[in-house]
Amino acid sequence: MVDDAYAPLVPDRRMLNEVKFAARDFTSMADELLRRLKVEYGTVYNDYATVQQGIMLRDLVAWAYAALIWYLDRAASDCFLATARTSAAIERLVEQLTYKMRPAAPASGPVALTFPTGTSTGFEMKDRWKYSGPNGLFYESYAKVTQPLPIAPGGILNVEVRQGESRILTYTSNGEKNQTYRLASVDPGRYLAYQKVEVWVDGSLWPEVDFLTFEAIPQYEISYMQNPPIVRFGDGIAGALPPVGAEIKIRYLIIDGDKGNVIADTIKTSVDKLIIAGQPVTFTVTNPDRISGGTNPEDPDSARRWAPQVFAARDSAITQPDYEALSNTFSDPTFGAVAKAYAINPKSSYDDIVTTDLLTQIDSLVTVFAADAAAIETSTNADAASAKAFLVNIQSVLTGLETLRGEMYGWAAAAQNHVASARAYSVDANARLSVVTNNGAVVTNGIQTLINDVNGGLSPSEIVGRLNSLLVAANSTLSEAQQAQTGVLTIQGALDSAAAPLDDLVEALDSGGTMDTSIQSMSSDAESISALLDQIAADLAQLTGDSAALLLGVEGLIADIRLRISELFSDDCLSNYVQVPILALDLDGNYVAPSIGLMDALQTFLNARKEVTQVVEVVDGSLNLVPASITISAMVRSGYVPDELRSQIAATVKRLMKGRDFNQPLYLSDLYKAIEPLVGLHHVNISMTGPVGVVIGGNFMTGENQVAVLGALTINLTSEDGGDI
């Protein structure tokens, strides 16, 4: 009786294969072969040292079987979409579903050429004019630029460019069926641009198709996911056959995918030189806007997800899955690919992204207006209260000034009367002094005449007579002089009387008083200020009333808008309006608003495939991006660099937040699952905040048709001893 469990029950039968089919690795096979050797040759061979030739032979056989099975497994895996791992294998599989994996698309946009000194004549710039951008990137113009007229000094010429470098390969047809030509000059990490390949057969331009059709017509297809890419012709039944000896010239564009997306003012140099009339022309280059739309080839996971759905759509857009499959896999040769798309069938304005955004803007404007109006009202009321107190002080001062003004009027009137009296006495004294002067002259002349006559022998009686006459004249002069002196004394007294009120007036002015007109002007201004403040108070009251009325009116308007738009949609689940929000990617791979060109291109694409009764609108999906604010507190183990862990945490969160779907919630467990495995962390605490109503139970629950994106990210690290890092 044989004790070996593997001994056959019937001795004349051959031994069954003892290798277990589930154990196909080298170690398992080597062990099973060793057991087989012991069973089969145990009586003649018993040297199982690792250096023996028998064991070496066993290991070689085990290795050969393991390698063969590995290749068989890989070949078998690549036969199924769920298990295929390479882009080339998946491309072959999805082609059977008539699905074309999305190739890379170049970034594009305008550059502005500025000519400081202008040009003497018009000129032409060849197609594929090359410009240099950042990080060694190159950009080419789409087509030849023709400028028929001279450009004035400082003139600007706008040119559309796309990222990439054109190359040309030339082959000779061998006349065989299904000819293929590899574009071996596509460098690793770079891509063949979608629908930017031009193929001439004996000078005739043949068109590119996604898949060769069963027509013997000029056409070719390209396997973009092969490494290197392959240009494939037909066999004379599906696609025409290039004849023997025909020249096949292939011009294609090598691009850098999303690396070609650059910010404004980064394309600075023209590689090609402009020559006009034999002379080089200088111009400056810049891109006024960002260059966008560059995308990488579709990844395998995306193809696995969308290929069956696109196949089910049958190139028609009827159901929501149809729209989502066609939109998420859409790529335009000029404007790039859709990063994320969603299809909804709004039943009311609350589901309509555009309407909801407009209403949100109205709500925001009203809120801002109400806050501003309230702030203005509060501030103006405070100013009015201060102005009122100030006016009370002014009024008190004006009352005192008015009293002073009355006193000054009295003093000035008294001084005026005294001065008038002095003036009258002054006139009288002046007249009398004139008489004195005249009489003095008469007396003087008479005395002189008398002296002359006495010398001439005048008699004593005549002398006495003349002296009496002179005496009368002298007395008259003396009387007038005395009266004039009295008048002058009277003037002096009147002026002395006027001095006192004038002194009082001067004293009042020195103590802060002012002239009558100034006082009247101040009083008038104060009255105007008071009236103005009263008007401001009235205006504020009116503003308050108007603000309240406006708020009520806008709220009513919003309700009316919602009601009106709600009436535009059917509530019986038979609405024929389909809205497709889409998103694009920025330089860092984050969601941003798509370009108008991409939206228009997808709109045209869907219009050609929708039901005739449906109305389709492609809209900006960035209106529904909801930022999640995430706070991560973690303890760092001893011996680990905090800055490196901080960078790892940030990079992990950013990866998790990229590429999220519409209506996909963000759970705390997702964050913990991604961050906790990082080596060097002792423990982690995570919390999320966001718009009211979004964070529920600590989880970020996006609303209908929304996409969660990363908002503020706060990372707090502490050491094991509890200190902040």
Side-chain angles (χ1 to χ4, degrees), residues 166-226:
S166 292
R167 296 181 182 176
I168 295 179
L169 294 175
T170 302
Y171 300 95
T172 301
S173 171
N174 56 16
E176 296 179 357
K177 297 180 179 180
N178 301 317
Q179 298 175 40
T180 58
Y181 299 93
R182 297 181 178 273
L183 306 181
S185 58
V186 179
D187 305 322
R190 308 185 76 189
Y191 313 106
L192 180 65
Y194 178 48
Q195 291 189 358
K196 294 295 186 291
V197 178
E198 298 170 291
V199 175
W200 290 268
V201 178
D202 275 343
S204 177
L205 182 63
W206 285 29
E208 177 187 349
V209 295
D210 285 343
F211 305 104
L212 293 173
T213 61
F214 284 93
E215 298 177 273
I217 59 175
Q219 56 179 311
Y220 64 93
E221 66 179 15
I222 300 177
S223 295
Y224 286 92
M225 301 300 165
Q226 299 292 327

Side-chain angles (χ1 to χ4, degrees), residues 383-396:
D383 292 341
S386 300
K388 185 175 181 180
F390 179 67
L391 284 177
V392 170
N393 293 334
I394 291 179
Q395 191 62 41
S396 176

Side-chain angles (χ1 to χ4, degrees), residues 9 152 163 290 378-379 384 386 417 424 495 523 537 592 600 683 716:
L9 297 179
Q163 192 271 322
R290 65 186 179 100
T378 301
S379 176
S386 300
N417 291 333
L495 291 175
S523 177
V592 294
D600 290 343
H683 67 266
N716 302 315

Side-chain angles (χ1 to χ4, degrees), residues 210 335 369 420 429 585 619 628 684 692 708:
D210 285 343
F335 301 107
F369 173 80
L585 298 178
V619 300
V684 179
V692 177

Side-chain angles (χ1 to χ4, degrees), residues 5-255:
Y6 291 93
L9 297 179
V10 180
D12 60 348
R13 291 188 177 180
R14 295 175 61 86
M15 296 291 292
L16 297 176
N17 187 350
E18 298 175 2
V19 176
K20 299 177 181 178
F21 291 98
R24 296 178 292 185
D25 59 285
F26 169 81
T27 302
S28 298
M29 284 194 171
D31 289 344
E32 293 296 337
L33 287 172
L34 183 59
R35 293 184 62 209
R36 182 62 183 173
L37 285 173
K38 291 180 179 180
V39 171
E40 188 72 22
Y41 304 104
T43 59
V44 296
Y45 183 83
N46 56 13
D47 189 356
Y48 302 110
T50 57
V51 296
Q52 293 302 312
Q53 293 180 348
I55 298 303
M56 179 186 68
L57 181 61
R58 178 209 65 167
D59 288 347
L60 287 176
V61 173
W63 174 85
Y65 273 121
L68 177 60
I69 291 174
W70 185 86
Y71 282 112
L72 290 174
D73 284 349
R74 281 299 297 264
S77 297
D78 286 344
C79 292
F80 301 94
L81 188 58
T83 55
R85 283 171 281 189
T86 65
S87 295
I90 292 177
E91 182 184 39
R92 289 193 299 269
L93 291 171
V94 298
E95 282 180 350
Q96 301 177 45
L97 302 176
T98 66
Y99 179 80
K100 188 76 172 180
M101 286 187 69
R102 186 173 61 201
S108 61
V111 295
L113 313 182
T114 303
F115 295 80
T117 59
T119 62
S120 58
T121 63
F123 57 89
E124 287 187 350
M125 301 175 72
K126 65 180 182 179
D127 60 344
R128 293 174 175 79
W129 193 282
K130 185 177 291 187
Y131 303 89
S132 176
N135 303 319
L137 297 172
F138 290 99
Y139 296 80
E140 294 182 349
S141 60
Y142 281 94
K144 179 172 63 177
V145 176
T146 301
Q147 176 62 31
L149 300 175
I151 295 180
I156 298 177
L157 180 63
N158 292 315
V159 178
E160 290 291 330
V161 300
R162 63 192 175 200
Q163 192 271 322
E165 299 177 78
S166 292
R167 296 181 182 176
I168 295 179
L169 294 175
T170 302
Y171 300 95
T172 301
S173 171
N174 56 16
E176 296 179 357
K177 297 180 179 180
N178 301 317
Q179 298 175 40
T180 58
Y181 299 93
R182 297 181 178 273
L183 306 181
S185 58
V186 179
D187 305 322
R190 308 185 76 189
Y191 313 106
L192 180 65
Y194 178 48
Q195 291 189 358
K196 294 295 186 291
V197 178
E198 298 170 291
V199 175
W200 290 268
V201 178
D202 275 343
S204 177
L205 182 63
W206 285 29
E208 177 187 349
V209 295
D210 285 343
F211 305 104
L212 293 173
T213 61
F214 284 93
E215 298 177 273
I217 59 175
Q219 56 179 311
Y220 64 93
E221 66 179 15
I222 300 177
S223 295
Y224 286 92
M225 301 300 165
Q226 299 292 327
N227 186 19
I230 296 174
V231 175
R232 182 181 296 106
F233 292 95
D235 57 3
I237 299 175
L241 201 65
V244 176
E247 181 190 63
I248 299 176
K249 185 169 69 173
I250 305 174
R251 182 165 62 187
Y252 53 99
L253 185 68
I254 298 177
I255 63 175

Side-chain angles (χ1 to χ4, degrees), residues 305-516:
R305 175 181 179 182
W306 295 114
Q309 297 189 40
V310 171
F311 175 73
R314 304 273 182 176
D315 204 32
S316 297
I318 301 175
T319 65
Q320 180 182 15
D322 294 342
Y323 279 102
E324 291 185 7
L326 294 174
S327 299
N328 276 285
T329 58
F330 178 78
S331 179
D332 183 80
T334 301
F335 301 107
V338 173
K340 188 67 65 177
Y342 185 62
I344 56 177
N345 179 211
K347 296 297 191 300
S348 70
S349 61
Y350 296 96
D351 300 328
D352 179 37
I353 291 178
V354 176
T355 304
T356 302
D357 177 66
L358 293 175
L359 294 175
T360 301
Q361 293 183 41
I362 294 175
D363 289 338
S364 176
L365 290 174
V366 171
T367 301
V368 171
F369 173 80
D372 290 345
I376 291 172
E377 182 178 1
T378 301
S379 176
T380 309
N381 285 339
D383 292 341
S386 300
K388 185 175 181 180
F390 179 67
L391 284 177
V392 170
N393 293 334
I394 291 179
Q395 191 62 41
S396 176
V397 173
L398 287 176
T399 301
L401 289 176
E402 186 63 24
T403 301
L404 179 61
R405 186 174 67 87
E407 294 177 352
M408 291 171 64
Y409 269 125
W411 296 331
Q416 186 177 10
N417 291 333
H418 290 301
V419 171
S421 298
R423 182 177 179 79
Y425 285 115
S426 176
V427 172
D428 182 74
N430 185 60
R432 291 183 183 278
L433 288 174
S434 296
V435 173
V436 171
T437 301
N438 292 332
N439 289 342
V442 171
V443 173
T444 301
N445 291 333
I447 292 173
Q448 186 64 45
T449 301
L450 177 62
I451 293 172
N452 292 335
D453 289 344
V454 170
N455 292 333
L458 189 65
S459 63
S461 59
E462 291 176 340
I463 292 172
V464 171
R466 289 188 180 184
L467 287 174
N468 287 331
S469 297
L470 290 173
L471 180 60
V472 172
N475 289 333
S476 175
T477 299
L478 179 61
S479 175
E480 291 295 335
Q482 290 175 345
Q483 292 182 7
Q485 183 180 10
T486 301
V488 169
L489 293 174
T490 303
I491 292 171
Q492 183 177 353
L495 291 175
D496 291 340
S497 300
L502 288 174
D503 290 342
D504 292 339
L505 178 60
V506 171
E507 183 179 357
L509 291 173
D510 290 340
S511 64
T514 184
M515 299 302 293
D516 179 66

